[in-house]
Amino acid sequence: MADVLKGLEIKNMTDVSADLYFYGDIVSDWWGAWQNEDQYPDAIKNFLSQAEGKDLNVYVNSGGGSVFAGMAIYNMIKRHGEKNKVKVYVDGLAGSIASVIAFAGTEPPEIPSNAFLMIHKPWGAISGNADEMRKMADDLDKIQTGIMNVYEDHLAEGVTIGQVEALVDAETWLDGKEAAKYFNIAQTDAADYVAAVGDYLSHAGKLPEKFKSHQKQPEQTPKGSTPEEQAKAAADAEKRNQIKRLCIEGMTKGE
């Protein structure tokens, strides 16, 4: 577990402030953190414990992940902000549940004109009978209500929650200028960034071209591999990806 936690150590901590980065997926626990950049509630709890009494700079470039993990992280950061200043910067993308974390600060988040908020309906995977699937749909509606409650607290003047819900239902990608029309944010000039890369972007139906070019590429088999070896490598890679998706979705039945 030490290797998994290695990438989550606090960096850039001073006597008065600390920096927190969301540059990977939002996952449920350390076992789901397949990359050092992935974040999960227990790691954030430990981070905030060490940063007690300090102002917080939060940097976001994430395609999202587990709704429940993200909501827990949002609430923890909000509690930290009751006694300290918390400033959020969206460096590239605050997508899905990461768009909720973007509003965890004590002041409006800074979003450059070429960075994005992506908001959409929550989704989940389930297998079961008709009753279980109907319940899953009802549960997703309740989860969406919780997300909308956060958005409602950060609407721009004159904007209704119904307008934002229509954007959520349609899956909408808002750059900094567009996001400022709907939310109380500090829109800043365009900045250079590397688009967020994560498993959760692959589920978006309206993924902009600039993000597609930065998605993870399939693992390559060595040159000279036989067709059988190539097929086995592809099957093994897909199996690993499937296991990971099931483990870190955070919305599958039983979590």
Side-chain angles (χ1 to χ4, degrees):
M1 186 169 70
D3 290 337
V4 176
L5 294 174
K6 182 178 179 181
L8 301 175
E9 294 173 355
I10 295 178
K11 299 179 180 180
N12 300 328
M13 178 173 284
T14 70
D15 290 339
V16 297
S17 68
D19 294 348
L20 174 59
Y21 289 83
F22 292 93
Y23 263 46
D25 292 335
I26 311 301
V27 300
S28 298
D29 52 36
W30 70 266
W31 194 81
W34 286 41
Q35 300 181 92
N36 285 340
E37 295 81 7
D38 295 344
Q39 294 280 30
Y40 54 95
D42 196 49
I44 301 304
K45 181 190 71 175
N46 294 336
F47 178 99
L48 295 177
S49 177
Q50 296 180 58
E52 186 175 356
K54 301 180 187 294
D55 292 338
L56 198 62
N57 298 307
V58 180
Y59 301 91
V60 180
N61 189 23
S62 171
S66 164
V67 168
F68 301 117
M71 279 296 189
I73 289 170
Y74 169 83
N75 288 325
M76 284 190 282
I77 295 175
K78 290 289 285 185
R79 285 196 298 273
H80 186 85
E82 291 174 358
K83 298 180 180 180
N84 309 275
K85 177 182 175 182
V86 177
K87 180 69 176 181
V88 180
Y89 304 86
V90 176
D91 288 339
L93 169 67
S96 194
I97 196 61
S99 69
V100 169
I101 293 174
F103 291 110
T106 55
E107 57 187 277
E110 287 193 9
I111 306 180
S113 59
N114 63 337
F116 286 83
L117 281 180
M118 187 275 275
I119 55 179
H120 70 149
K121 295 178 73 69
W123 64 271
I126 186 174
S127 61
N129 60 37
D131 291 339
E132 291 170 320
M133 292 187 178
R134 290 189 187 96
K135 183 180 183 303
M136 181 63 162
D138 291 339
D139 290 344
L140 289 174
D141 286 341
K142 292 176 182 177
I143 290 168
Q144 181 167 337
T145 297
I147 293 171
M148 298 307 300
N149 288 340
V150 174
Y151 293 156
E152 189 169 17
D153 289 338
H154 302 278
L155 296 178
E157 185 175 355
V159 175
T160 68
I161 192 59
Q163 290 175 289
V164 172
E165 190 156 22
L167 299 177
V168 169
D169 291 345
E171 183 195 308
T172 304
W173 296 72
L174 301 166
D175 63 33
K177 290 183 178 180
E178 294 166 333
K181 297 176 183 178
Y182 298 98
F183 297 102
N184 184 20
I185 68 170
Q187 190 262 310
T188 61
D189 293 335
D192 292 333
Y193 67 88
V194 176
V197 176
D199 293 325
Y200 292 93
L201 286 179
S202 64
H203 304 302
K206 301 179 181 179
L207 186 67
E209 288 297 327
K210 66 169 61 180
F211 288 98
K212 291 180 181 179
S213 65
H214 290 283
Q215 282 187 280
K216 295 176 183 176
Q217 299 300 315
E219 296 181 30
Q220 301 296 317
T221 53
K223 292 183 178 180
S225 300
T226 66
E228 291 78 11
E229 290 172 334
Q230 294 174 359
K232 183 178 185 301
D236 289 344
E238 174 56 28
K239 183 180 293 185
R240 287 194 297 273
N241 289 335
Q242 184 178 17
I243 291 172
K244 180 178 179 182
R245 286 194 295 269
L246 290 173
C247 291
I248 68 176
E249 276 167 4
M251 290 175 55
T252 53
K253 183 181 176 183
E255 178 158 343

